[in-house]
Amino acid sequence: MKHKPISNYFGRKAFAHIRQRFMLVAQQRLMVLQSALQERQRVLLDLLPLLLHINHPLLPGYVNGQVPAGLPDYSPSKSVLLLAKKFAKSFQHKRQAVRQFPIQALFLMGSGGSIAYSTKSDFDIWICYSEHLSEEECAALAQKCILIEQWAAQLGLEIHLYLINPTTFRQGNHQALSDESSGSAQHHLLLEEFYRTGLWVAGRAPMWWFVPPEYDAQYDEFVDDLLRKRLVDPFDVVDLGGLEQVDAKEFFSAAIWQLYKSIDAPYKSILKMMLMEVYTLEYPKPDWLSQRFKRHVYAGEIDNVNHTDPYLALCMKLDQFFLDCGDEPRLELFREAFYFKVALTKGTQDQHRREIIQDLVKQWGWDKTRLQILDMRSDWKIKQVKTERKRLSDEFSKSYRHLMQFAQNQGCEDLMASTDLKVLGRKLYAVLDLRAGKVDKINLGISANMVEPELTIQEKMGSKQV
């Protein structure tokens, strides 16, 4: 079905309003993130755009004056300039008329500013750069990123800076961009997560913002029309591509990766595996969470945290899925995994977040006793850990079977015979299989302290007991 002509759909003013809405959501989440950081850690997010905009020998990350620098439409605020002066008292920012910028945009990907952020969360930061940079310039920029990462570690923050060439990225040529993915084998799924969780920090806006939700399936055609009719200035956007064509093999690769991760971080991986399962059941036209988010932005519904928080949106989708399926055991497992992901630490002052979690557990009908048991997970002892271990193992095995069935249905025999899958099978078998005489790994990232205050040793000698 053909949509109405693009020229009749939007004008420049309408696109400006859409951009403003996305920017407002990003700013709101960044403010939430800043409030969750320690004062000395806030320095990082405040200074990062400036560090990539200029080279100054007394500022963190300095390599030399030839490192590519410069962000379009970036002008440091007075507070940022005062912050820079703490590192270099003689620092003076001089505005220059520049038409070409080596750095195109800066984005923060992940749980930052969402209900799922915690003091243990790391930051994945995407730095989109010009395709015209030479190998030497890219290497120098990469060295600067390493120094910034080291500086962040001194502030108590784990950050990962990833250099993105938008042109090669659209072609699917890139390395692993996160500890949560295996890179190009999950190109579109990684991109979907970026559009769902990514926060604009500085520079150009994503072209994806300006493609209305109903045109996502015609992404390239719509973008070409936008540029040809000059409704969007190409120097105002960075184009990382659309989600109109996702190979079934990507779901397969993503599931393999999450099964690997689940052995050490079960609850986080369970959430991602469950979302992957829903997407595969909706395949070939998944109802992406990123598209849901975009629909709410286009409708102007950006004041509802359920629409703008990526983890609450995930919660709403999976909760409804298991309710519709009538699968009570998996519904409860999902809810507990989500609670472990977002539960507040003791003493937190985040009242808004606390109220959201309290509303959730009230909807779920959880009583105080259950919450107390869940809140004590870090001190669960061996009996409870063994019970939970079996529960998690059953879920991993179920996900593995679903993965195999999906692969068979989609004709992914080449991947099913791959070395990755064989290694995965052996690893899962070694960890999850229960056999006589085998020393099993019981604590799969469940409890932080299984030490018992008292220990009783019983020796069996034939039919006699001592």
Side-chain angles (χ1 to χ4, degrees):
M1 178 180 175
K2 283 286 185 180
H3 295 287
K4 54 189 174 182
I6 294 174
S7 58
N8 296 335
Y9 194 101
F10 272 143
R12 282 183 173 270
K13 289 185 178 180
F15 281 120
H17 287 310
I18 293 299
R19 183 180 188 275
Q20 187 177 23
R21 290 176 188 171
F22 277 105
M23 292 286 190
L24 182 59
V25 172
Q27 290 166 3
Q28 290 171 341
R29 283 184 57 193
L30 284 172
M31 288 176 61
V32 171
L33 176 58
Q34 289 279 28
S35 67
L37 296 174
Q38 298 176 10
E39 185 175 353
R40 67 192 186 97
Q41 295 173 330
R42 295 172 195 159
V43 174
L44 171 69
L45 286 183
D46 287 337
L47 270 187
L48 186 58
L50 179 64
L51 299 182
L52 295 170
H53 189 60
I54 63 171
N55 290 306
H56 192 286
L58 295 180
L59 292 181
Y62 181 77
V63 176
N64 59 54
Q66 305 306 311
V67 176
L71 273 163
D73 297 324
Y74 174 72
S75 180
S77 64
K78 290 183 178 180
S79 61
V80 169
L81 294 177
L82 289 174
L83 197 56
K85 284 183 175 293
K86 291 184 178 181
F87 291 89
K89 293 183 179 180
S90 60
F91 174 75
Q92 294 290 334
H93 177 62
K94 298 180 180 179
R95 295 183 180 181
Q96 297 179 344
V98 180
R99 291 190 58 81
Q100 294 184 345
F101 296 91
I103 311 299
Q104 295 182 348
L106 184 62
F107 301 97
L108 173 62
M109 179 178 172
S111 63
S114 77
I115 192 174
Y117 177 77
S118 75
T119 54
K120 296 180 180 179
S121 299
D122 58 357
F123 293 159
D124 286 343
I125 297 173
W126 289 20
I127 303 172
C128 298
Y129 66 90
S130 170
E131 63 180 347
H132 301 298
L133 295 189
S134 66
E135 290 186 10
E136 293 76 13
E137 288 174 321
C138 288
L141 185 56
Q143 180 60 32
K144 183 172 187 175
C145 289
I146 291 174
L147 294 179
I148 293 175
E149 290 174 349
Q150 293 172 350
W151 170 59
Q154 296 174 7
L155 300 175
L157 289 173
E158 180 183 352
I159 71 168
H160 309 280
L161 301 179
Y162 298 100
L163 295 177
I164 310 293
N165 180 330
T167 301
T168 58
F169 184 93
R170 288 196 304 274
Q171 299 167 354
N173 300 322
H174 52 80
Q175 298 177 343
L177 298 179
S178 167
D179 289 339
E180 304 305 319
S181 76
S182 57
S184 58
Q186 302 173 33
H187 172 78
H188 288 93
L189 294 178
L190 180 64
L191 184 59
E192 194 276 331
E193 185 176 358
F194 169 76
Y195 287 144
R196 169 166 39 102
T197 71
L199 289 178
W200 174 89
V201 178
R204 300 180 180 180
M207 176 66 88
W208 181 80
W209 287 1
F210 305 108
V211 178
E214 60 268 37
Y215 282 95
D216 275 335
Q218 304 164 257
Y219 180 89
D220 288 337
E221 178 186 349
F222 194 94
V223 167
D224 289 343
D225 219 354
L226 283 179
L227 297 176
R228 183 172 59 255
K229 295 177 179 177
R230 299 182 180 180
L231 294 173
V232 171
D233 190 329
F235 293 103
D236 290 339
V237 294
V238 55
D239 187 5
L240 296 174
L243 302 169
E244 67 274 27
Q245 293 180 339
V246 182
D247 196 314
K249 293 180 180 180
E250 288 200 28
F251 292 98
F252 188 80
S253 298
I256 287 176
W257 186 253
Q258 285 306 320
L259 282 171
Y260 270 118
K261 301 285 288 184
S262 68
I263 294 173
D264 298 316
Y267 298 106
K268 183 176 182 179
S269 289
I270 277 176
L271 294 176
K272 293 200 172 187
M273 284 296 297
M274 287 176 168
L275 179 62
M276 202 68 57
E277 178 178 337
V278 176
Y279 281 160
T280 58
L281 291 172
E282 295 170 343
Y283 190 80
K285 295 182 178 180
D287 180 19
W288 303 115
L289 286 176
S290 57
Q291 287 180 324
R292 286 190 178 189
F293 167 56
K294 187 195 280 191
R295 287 197 293 269
H296 289 306
V297 172
Y298 269 69
E301 302 166 350
I302 60 175
D303 294 328
N304 188 332
V305 69
N306 288 339
H307 298 159
T308 58
D309 188 297
Y311 283 87
L312 278 177
L314 179 148
C315 178
M316 299 300 111
K317 183 178 178 74
L318 292 184
D319 203 76
Q320 191 60 52
F321 171 76
F322 288 120
L323 283 172
D324 292 342
C325 291
D327 194 336
E328 187 70 21
R330 296 190 75 199
L331 173 65
E332 292 304 313
L333 178 58
F334 151 69
R335 287 175 173 177
E336 290 183 10
F338 187 80
Y339 181 77
F340 289 144
K341 175 65 179 173
V342 305
L344 295 166
T345 56
K346 294 180 180 179
T348 181
Q349 300 300 314
D350 191 342
Q351 183 62 29
H352 179 62
R353 186 180 174 202
R354 181 185 297 278
E355 290 173 355
I356 292 173
I357 296 174
Q358 288 175 342
D359 286 343
L360 282 176
V361 299
K362 184 178 180 180
Q363 293 172 24
W364 297 341
W366 289 3
D367 57 24
K368 291 183 178 180
T369 301
R370 183 170 187 175
L371 287 172
Q372 288 173 351
I373 293 173
L374 296 178
D375 289 341
M376 293 175 62
R377 177 171 69 93
S378 61
D379 291 319
W380 283 358
K381 303 309 178 187
I382 189 167
K383 184 177 181 180
Q384 194 165 4
V385 169
K386 285 181 66 177
T387 301
E388 185 72 355
R389 190 253 194 207
K390 183 181 186 306
R391 189 182 180 210
L392 293 172
S393 298
D394 289 346
E395 178 63 26
F396 296 156
S397 298
K398 186 175 294 186
S399 295
Y400 183 77
R401 290 193 297 270
H402 174 80
L403 154 68
M404 294 293 290
Q405 187 62 53
F406 177 74
Q408 290 174 349
N409 293 342
Q410 298 299 324
C412 300
E413 288 81 3
D414 55 335
L415 278 177
M416 292 173 64
S418 69
T419 301
D420 283 348
L421 184 57
K422 293 177 181 177
V423 171
L424 169 66
R426 287 196 294 269
K427 186 172 183 180
L428 288 174
Y429 184 80
V431 173
L432 304 179
D433 184 49
L434 301 177
R435 287 181 289 131
K438 175 174 175 279
V439 178
D440 296 316
K441 183 178 180 180
I442 297 173
N443 189 18
L444 300 177
I446 300 169
S447 174
N449 179 24
M450 288 176 55
V451 177
E452 296 281 0
E454 296 180 356
L455 182 65
T456 300
I457 300 177
Q458 185 179 50
E459 181 182 5
K460 289 187 177 181
M461 299 179 64
S463 60
K464 299 180 179 180
Q465 293 186 0
V466 180

